[in-house]
Amino acid sequence: MNTEVEKRSLLLEMIAFSTVDGQLHKREYDFLWLVAQELNIDFDVFKDLFHQETTKKIIKSEFQRIQQFYRLALIMHCDGILHEKEAIAIQQIAIEMGLNPGAVKRVLDLMKKAPNAMIDPKLLLRVFQEQHN
């Protein structure tokens, strides 16, 4: 992540996605705050993001797009309830990011089978790299 604008844009996208089911669960909020801290966003700015409009910023790096997709997928799983709206939204977001739909489906299936919805980062990258061959 290079700029403050890019960091805020990523968080705004995550906030918008976390409420696609009509609710913001405490575990989703806590996860968003952890990501904000990782991006060096202070708490006042973080709170303010919940009152801003989402503006999409194109992520140029494929690695960063995969990272953002995985963050969104983790939010989708963190409340323990998989909503149909979330499943549809994440597929659409992944397509808009230019990620391979087959790799996206495979990652989501792996996450669904994992006990805590987390998968090894090397496996995550390998799934997307396999699609290049």
Side-chain angles (χ1 to χ4, degrees):
M1 257 339 84
N2 299 334
T3 69
E4 192 73 20
V5 171
E6 290 173 325
K7 292 175 185 181
R8 288 179 189 205
S9 177
L10 289 176
L11 274 173
L12 281 169
E13 181 179 27
M14 293 176 74
I15 289 167
F17 181 73
S18 67
T19 58
V20 78
D21 63 357
Q23 297 180 34
L24 178 65
H25 298 275
K26 180 173 177 2
R27 291 181 70 181
E28 291 170 327
Y29 180 86
D30 292 344
F31 181 79
L32 290 166
W33 173 231
L34 284 173
V35 172
Q37 290 173 307
E38 191 66 32
L39 296 173
N40 295 317
I41 302 289
D42 69 65
F43 188 67
D44 290 333
V45 172
F46 172 70
K47 285 190 327 188
D48 187 52
L49 290 174
F50 286 88
H51 306 286
Q52 294 182 18
E53 297 266 332
T54 304
T55 54
K56 296 233 178 188
K57 177 111 174 90
I58 304 297
I59 304 170
K60 293 187 170 107
S61 158
E62 182 181 29
F63 176 74
Q64 288 179 336
R65 289 187 312 235
I66 292 168
Q67 243 182 340
Q68 181 66 355
F69 161 75
Y70 186 58
R71 286 186 197 115
L72 293 172
L74 286 171
I75 286 177
M76 183 173 80
H77 287 276
C78 81
D79 64 358
I81 304 164
L82 294 177
H83 294 274
E84 185 179 342
K85 287 182 180 179
E86 290 173 327
I88 293 167
I90 200 162
Q91 296 278 346
Q92 186 59 40
I93 290 168
I95 289 169
E96 290 171 6
M97 287 180 167
L99 297 176
N100 182 289
V104 166
K105 182 181 178 337
R106 186 156 171 235
V107 167
L108 292 174
D109 288 344
L110 288 168
M111 291 178 76
K112 198 180 292 184
K113 293 174 186 169
N116 59 1
M118 294 181 72
I119 59 174
D120 182 84
K122 291 177 185 174
L123 176 59
L124 174 68
L125 292 176
R126 194 174 332 122
V127 168
F128 282 96
Q129 289 171 343
E130 286 172 359
Q131 300 302 316
H132 292 297
N133 294 331

